[in-house]
């Protein structure tokens, strides 16, 4: 018997038209340039904080510091107010985040319940300030009348209620926690408050992490309210202290007056301190984002759900 060798024919891959290939490569190149345009300024600030002003101005530290120096960080952290501002910011961030969670979570849960009496009017009361604000002068007069000037509570209490966060929390409770849990809880004699504490909150870790992240980032980066309401330098947060470093040479001027440092030396120190201040102010938040990014993305999706 004669064996016949049969060739196995592999299916040919369809050749893509030149226009599709060119379009894909164009998209890849475009987005690569966009990513490079975002990453390089951040990288330049990092290498500039470890470089000398002469290397920065001459372009020698384009991709890597020519001479690594820690003089900018040394000058920055030699100021006592920097450490005090760091401590104040940590306290304001921790306390402010806890207050916002304690206020917004119950409010969002309450307006998500169908049995809430007057829910539409209460929700309207929350929504109006989201679009209409009194402005700086009425806010300042309100803070003054409450006796909160030069009080750390002026940075915590006014921002305790966030309408947007309440909307996101409301959407989460309505879409992510089944109503059958509430019906089963009623049959077991569970009250509304006990259901919120023992059942709803343990199932809401994602939204708690999202709102906590948003609140912490907002408080950490804030400086304007402190500039308006706090005259005591010992109460200033880190961002306001660093703003003074970036906009003036106060610390350097005092050092130069006492030690007869030349104007060029003061300018060089100021330049190094500016880049070091940028790194110091953003490093804690940048380090926390990789660990909380999944919750951040989930929070954006929760806020996009429509009823």
């Amino acid at each position: 018997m004669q064996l016949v060798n049969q060739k196995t024919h592999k299916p040919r891959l369809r050749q893509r038209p030149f226009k599709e290939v060119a379009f894909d490569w164009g998209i890849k190149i475009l987005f690569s340039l966009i990513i490079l345009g975002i990453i390089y300024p951040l990288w330049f600030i990092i290498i500039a904080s470890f470089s000398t002003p002469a290397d920065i101005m001459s372009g020698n530290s384009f991709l890597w510091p020519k001479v690594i120096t820690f003089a900018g960080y040394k000058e920055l952290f030699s100021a006592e107010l920097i450490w005090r501002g760091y401590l104040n910011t940590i306290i304001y961030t921790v306390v402010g985040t806890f207050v916002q969670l304690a206020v917004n979570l119950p409010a969002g849960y309450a307006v998500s319940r169908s049995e809430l009496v007057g829910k539409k009017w209460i929700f309207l009361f929350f929504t109006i300030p989201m679009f209409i604000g009194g402005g700086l002068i009425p806010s300042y007069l309100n803070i003054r009348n409450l006796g909160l000037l030069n009080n750390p509570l002026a940075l915590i209490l006014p921002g305790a209620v966030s309408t947007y966060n309440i909307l996101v929390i409301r959407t989460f409770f309505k879409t992510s926690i089944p109503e059958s849990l509430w019906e089963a809880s009623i049959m077991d004699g569970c009250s509304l408050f006990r259901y919120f504490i023992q059942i709803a909150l343990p199932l809401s870790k994602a939204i708690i992490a999202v709102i906590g992240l948003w609140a912490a980032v907002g408080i950490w980066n804030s400086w304007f309210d402190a500039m308006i309401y706090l005259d005591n330098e010992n109460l200033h947060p880190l961002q306001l202290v660093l703003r003074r470093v970036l906009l003036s040479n106060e610390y350097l001027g005092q050092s130069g007056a006492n030690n007869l440092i030349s104007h060029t030396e003061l300018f060089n120190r100021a330049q190094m301190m500016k880049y070091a201040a940028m790194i110091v102010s953003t490093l804690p938040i940048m380090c926390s984002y990789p660990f909380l990014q999944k919750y951040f993305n989930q929070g954006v999706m929760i806020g996009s759900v429509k009823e």
Side-chain angles (χ1 to χ4, degrees), residues 57-89:
M57 298 181 66
S58 62
N60 293 329
S61 298
F62 182 73
L63 294 176
W64 189 259
K66 183 177 181 180
V67 177
I68 298 178
T69 176
F70 296 91
Y73 292 94
K74 183 179 179 180
E75 288 289 339
L76 185 67
F77 287 112
S78 63
E80 182 182 355
L81 285 180
I82 295 293
W83 296 102
R84 190 173 300 163
Y86 239 122
L87 179 61
N88 291 338
T89 298

Side-chain angles (χ1 to χ4, degrees), residues 48-53 67-78 252 265 268-274 276:
S49 66
F50 295 101
S51 303
T52 61
V67 177
I68 298 178
T69 176
F70 296 91
Y73 292 94
K74 183 179 179 180
E75 288 289 339
L76 185 67
F77 287 112
S78 63
L252 299 178
E265 182 67 19
N268 292 338
R269 291 189 180 184
Q271 294 300 315
M272 290 187 294
M273 287 180 65
K274 286 182 180 180

Side-chain angles (χ1 to χ4, degrees), residues 77-194:
F77 287 112
S78 63
E80 182 182 355
L81 285 180
I82 295 293
W83 296 102
R84 190 173 300 163
Y86 239 122
L87 179 61
N88 291 338
T89 298
I90 293 174
I91 295 175
Y92 298 154
T93 302
V94 173
V95 176
T97 301
F98 176 79
V99 170
Q100 289 197 30
L101 289 175
V103 173
N104 294 323
L105 283 173
Y109 174 74
V111 296
S112 69
R113 303 302 307 172
S114 58
E115 61 268 18
L116 177 64
V117 178
K119 181 177 69 173
K120 292 183 178 179
W121 295 104
I122 295 175
F123 192 72
L124 180 63
F125 177 76
F126 281 146
T127 306
I128 291 177
M130 186 175 180
F131 301 98
I132 302 175
L136 178 59
I137 295 178
S139 300
Y140 180 85
L141 295 177
N142 187 33
I143 295 296
R144 187 190 65 180
N145 294 334
L146 292 174
L148 296 179
L149 293 180
N150 279 325
N151 191 324
L153 293 178
L155 307 182
I156 298 174
L157 295 182
V161 178
S162 174
T163 304
Y164 179 78
N165 290 344
I166 292 176
L167 292 174
V168 174
I169 295 170
R170 169 179 172 267
T171 303
F172 175 84
F173 282 125
K174 289 182 70 68
T175 58
S176 301
I177 299 181
E179 190 67 18
S180 58
L181 286 178
W182 166 241
E183 297 174 355
S185 300
I186 293 178
M187 296 179 62
D188 292 337
C190 182
S191 64
L192 185 62
F193 179 78
R194 185 179 177 184

Side-chain angles (χ1 to χ4, degrees), residues 249-286:
N249 294 335
E250 178 180 350
Y251 302 113
L252 299 178
Q254 295 176 355
S255 177
N258 296 331
N259 301 324
L260 300 179
I261 301 178
S262 64
H263 177 74
T264 303
E265 182 67 19
L266 291 177
F267 176 78
N268 292 338
R269 291 189 180 184
Q271 294 300 315
M272 290 187 294
M273 287 180 65
K274 286 182 180 180
Y275 292 111
M278 296 178 189
I279 299 299
V280 167
S281 61
T282 58
L283 185 61
I285 297 299
M286 292 180 64

